Amino acid sequence: MAHGRCIRRYFKRLLLKKKMVFNDTNTTYFNETNYFDEHHVPDIVIHYTIAAAVAMGICLFGIVGNIIVFWYLFFRIQRNKYTVYIVNLAVADLLLLTFSAVLMMVNINTLVGSTPEFEGTVGFLTFLEIMYDLSQYSGMYFLTAISMERCMSVLFPLWYHNHRPKKLSTIMCICLWILGCTESLIENLICPSEDFRNQTQACTGVEIMTFALSIFICLPLMILSSVTLLIAIKRTFRNRYPPRLYIIIIAAIFIFILSVIPFNFLWFLMYFRRLPSIQDTLSLYFASIISVALSSTANPYIYFIVGRLWKQKSNHSIHDALHRAFKAEEDEKEDIKISEEEKTSPNSGETNSTSCNSDQTHDNNT
C-alpha cells in the first residue's frame, strides 16, 4: 500500500527532470543517482508510456463494472449485512480506479507532454496520493471485514444469528473509512518526500506501521477466513452447492493476495535502498499500479460470474446474478440447521442426506 506513494514520489522527482538527464549525462544529478543509461532513455519512456496507457484501460474497464455493482446493490436490490460491505468495497474500488487513471494521465504527461510541470503540481499530486491510499487501505479493510464476518457465521452460526448487532455492518464500514482516511493522512503528511528520502525516525515508524497493518494483521485474517470457508464448502458440497458468497469472498481474497500483497514488500526494498536502479523502481511502480487495478477491476466481474453459476436458464440479467450472489440469509439458516442436526444426531451424514433428499422432493413437488 505504501509502495504506491513512495514510488510515485521517486517518479515525480526523477522524471520531471528527464530532459536534464537526457541532454547532459555529466550533470551532478545523473552522477549522483546513476539511474538512466543515455542510450536506453527513449525506449524506457516508450515502455513506461505504454504501461501507463494499459493501466488506464484497465481502470476504465473496472470503473464501469463497479458503477454497475454500486447501482444495483444500492438502489435495486434489498440490502443485507453483506451487501453493505460490498457496496462500500465497490465505492473504494471505484475511487481507487478513478484516481489511478488520473495518476496515469499525469504520468503520461510527465513522460511525453510538452509541459510536464503545471501550476499546482505538488498540491495536486499530494491530493492524488492521499485519495489513492485512502481507497486502497479502505478496500483492504472492507475485504478483511466481510471475510471475517462470514467466517464467524460459519464457526458460530447460532451465536452469530441470535446475538449479532443489526447495525454492525454499517458501524464497521464507517469505522473502516475513518481508519483508512487516518492512515492515508498520517502516511502522506508525516512522511513527505524529503523525510522519506532521509529516512527520518517518524517516517520509518509510519512505514513500519502501514506494512504491519497489511502484512501482519489483514493478510493472516484473510488467509484464516479463506481456509475456514474452504473447509465449510468441503463439508457441505456433498449435499448441496456451496453458497455463492463463500466463493466470492475466496476468489476476491485470492486475487487480492496474488496481485496486491507482493508489491507491499516493495516499500521495504525501496525505503532501505535495496533497489539498484531507477529502471527497476519505475518498472515495479507500473507493475504495482496495474496489479492493483486488476484486483479492483476483477471484483465486480467475480460477482457477475459467481451469481450465474448453477443456473440452467439461458437468459441472465445483472440484477438476478447479483441477487443470487449475495442472497445469504437462506444460507445462514441452512448452516444453523446443519449445525443443530450434527449436535442432535449421531449419524450426521445420514441426517444431512435425508434432509437434502427431502428438500429436492419438495422442490420437485413445487
Side-chain angles (χ1 to χ4, degrees), residues 8 13 69 87 95 102 111 155-156 196-197 200 203 233 238 251 277 279 321:
R8 286 195 295 277
R13 189 173 69 250
V69 170
V87 166
L95 290 175
V102 175
L111 287 165
L155 295 177
F156 311 102
F196 179 83
R197 187 165 55 252
T200 62
C203 192
I233 289 176
R238 293 176 300 175
S277 67
Q279 287 96 325

Side-chain angles (χ1 to χ4, degrees), residues 120-135:
T121 303
V122 177
F124 182 64
L125 288 176
T126 301
F127 172 74
L128 288 180
E129 291 167 359
I130 292 174
M131 295 303 298
Y132 181 94
D133 290 336
L134 163 63
S135 55

Side-chain angles (χ1 to χ4, degrees), residues 63-82:
I63 287 172
V64 174
N66 282 284
I67 289 177
I68 294 174
V69 170
F70 175 81
W71 170 261
Y72 278 96
L73 292 184
F74 193 82
F75 295 106
R76 303 290 299 276
I77 297 176
Q78 184 178 2
R79 288 190 293 275
N80 57 44
K81 60 179 71 71
Y82 299 110

Side-chain angles (χ1 to χ4, degrees), residues 262-309:
F263 291 100
N264 282 331
F265 291 96
L266 179 61
W267 78 271
F268 181 86
L269 298 177
M270 186 172 57
Y271 187 78
F272 292 103
R273 311 293 194 267
R274 294 298 184 269
L275 293 180
S277 67
I278 191 61
Q279 287 96 325
D280 295 333
T281 303
L282 295 181
S283 298
L284 288 171
Y285 162 69
F286 283 109
S288 65
I289 291 290
I290 292 175
S291 297
V292 171
L294 284 173
S295 177
S296 298
T297 299
N299 287 336
Y301 298 99
I302 290 174
Y303 311 152
F304 301 148
I305 294 173
V306 175
R308 294 181 177 183
L309 291 178

Side-chain angles (χ1 to χ4, degrees), residues 20 30 74 96 124 133-134 198 201 227 262 266 274 320:
M20 178 186 69
F30 182 78
F74 193 82
L96 178 63
F124 182 64
D133 290 336
L134 163 63
N198 295 330
Q201 291 184 353
V227 172
L266 179 61
R274 294 298 184 269
D320 293 338

Side-chain angles (χ1 to χ4, degrees), residues 159-174:
W159 176 90
Y160 183 83
H161 182 73
N162 296 324
H163 300 285
R164 179 191 181 275
K166 293 182 179 181
K167 299 294 183 180
L168 179 61
S169 298
T170 303
I171 296 173
M172 283 295 298
C173 288
I174 294 174

Side-chain angles (χ1 to χ4, degrees), residues 17 37 72 78 207 229 241 259 277 284-285 296 330 340:
K17 301 180 180 180
D37 185 346
Y72 278 96
Q78 184 178 2
E207 298 300 326
L229 295 180
Y241 291 125
S259 59
S277 67
L284 288 171
Y285 162 69
S296 298
E330 290 77 5
E340 290 177 343

